[in-house]
Structures are given as structure tokens and as C-alpha cells.
Amino acid sequence: MRIETERLILKEINENHAEDILKIRSNEEINRFLKRNPPQTNYEALSFILTIKQRTANKETFYWGISLKNQTNLIGTICLYRFSEDRKEAEVGYELLPDYHRKGIMSEALKAVLNFGFNELYLDEILAFTNKFNENSKSLLLKHQFILEEGRNDEGFPENLVFGLRKNM
């Protein structure tokens, strides 16, 4: 499940990443646009990691920690999850520590994961749900040819917009 790009390594997360996951998932700037209960302790981060490992083993999700090639710590995460029953559609989710925003890092990671989703998992469509006020996320999706799906809602999250990207047939 390891993916390498020019500057990045996308890798499975494990118990050794508890501090990094805590730092990422409890970051106030990242959570400004998300509705979730952020972990408060390394134990809660570890519990999340164990859940992800189980979901990955069951092929419910593909989840990568993002690190720069010259570093071991994680600076973000990216995943494919919420697969349709026929496994032709999935949702992409991502988060990146603010110190690394606007450096093309998430764009590089997203490109690699889209390639994996379309060419390894044979997905027909990848969806992304993002808060209507999250300009960085909207710009990222538009840069990668995602199309805003007018009229489509993210049930229970009225602030979210739904973007879709179909595989080039």
C-alpha cells in the first residue's frame, strides 16, 4: 500500500504514529471545517489507528499517512473510503498540517491516490465532500478536474459541497 511520489511517501499508519495522528486530527485549523470529535490523548489517537488498521485489513478503506521523503513523521493523511456496494465509487478524504499548506503537497498526494483509485481499484468515480467555506480544499479539487455536483447533498452536513471526478473512459 506504499506509494512514492517525487517528494512524498504515502504509507500505512501504525501504532508508532500515535503522536503524529494526535497532532493532525486535533489541529484546530484542520478541524475548523470538519465535524468530528478530535482525539485528546495519544491513547485516543492509538484507538483511531487500530480502527483504521482493521478497516484497511477488511478493505473497507485505503488510508495513508503522508510524510516527506526525508522525514519519518506524518504531516497529513489521505484515504479512499465509503465504497459503493459495487466498489465502483469511493470518497476521498484528506488533511494536512497547516505548516505544509500551499506547497503543492496535498496536490501531489491526491494525484497519486486518484491514480491508485482509478488504475488499481478500477473505480469509475471518486467523490469529495468539503465545507463550502474551505477555499483551499475547493481549489485543490477543481485543480484536479473534480466537478461540483449541483443539487447533490451531503446528508446531515448542509455546509458541505459534493464534488465528483469520473474516470476518463
Side-chain angles (χ1 to χ4, degrees):
M1 264 208 10
R2 181 181 167 109
I3 300 173
E4 286 194 37
T5 67
E6 185 179 331
R7 298 181 293 167
L8 307 174
I9 297 175
L10 308 184
K11 56 191 171 190
E12 289 186 64
I13 61 169
N14 62 44
E15 294 81 350
N16 297 327
H17 297 120
E19 274 188 46
D20 292 338
I21 292 296
L22 177 63
K23 187 176 178 182
I24 294 164
R25 292 185 63 82
S26 64
N27 183 280
E28 284 185 28
E29 190 171 334
I30 292 172
N31 287 328
R32 186 167 48 135
F33 298 115
L34 300 172
K35 289 189 179 174
R36 67 176 175 201
N37 294 321
Q40 304 297 315
T41 64
N42 276 5
Y43 179 79
E44 289 177 9
L46 183 60
S47 178
F48 172 78
I49 289 168
L50 295 174
T51 299
I52 290 302
K53 284 180 73 170
Q54 181 179 10
R55 289 181 182 163
T56 300
N58 294 340
K59 302 267 192 258
E60 293 172 54
T61 188
F62 289 85
Y63 195 98
W64 296 271
I66 302 169
S67 64
L68 296 171
K69 278 190 174 175
N70 61 351
Q71 297 178 2
T72 56
N73 62 306
L74 302 180
I75 60 172
T77 66
I78 190 164
C79 62
L80 290 170
Y81 68 117
R82 289 189 186 161
F83 287 84
S84 61
E85 205 170 300
D86 64 3
R87 307 271 307 172
K88 292 293 185 187
E89 182 182 286
E91 183 178 335
V92 65
Y94 45 83
E95 55 197 347
L96 187 67
L97 288 171
D99 288 351
Y100 299 93
H101 287 185
R102 308 206 96 17
K103 293 175 168 54
I105 291 170
M106 190 53 75
S107 187
E108 193 172 320
L110 180 60
K111 182 179 177 184
V113 168
L114 293 175
N115 182 55
F116 177 84
F118 288 130
N119 298 313
E120 303 291 325
L121 300 179
Y122 305 106
L123 295 172
D124 289 336
E125 184 172 25
I126 297 177
L127 299 172
F129 297 76
T130 194
N131 185 287
K132 64 185 175 186
F133 299 112
N134 189 339
E135 296 302 327
N136 286 346
S137 184
K138 291 190 304 187
S139 294
L140 174 72
L141 295 171
L142 293 172
K143 178 180 178 181
H144 288 274
Q145 280 70 55
F146 277 79
I147 296 169
L148 176 62
E149 298 196 0
E150 300 279 354
R152 190 164 178 180
N153 298 316
D154 186 4
E155 198 170 316
F157 299 93
E159 301 274 296
N160 281 356
L161 299 173
V162 181
F163 289 81
L165 179 64
R166 295 197 62 78
K167 182 177 184 175
N168 294 335
M169 299 298 178

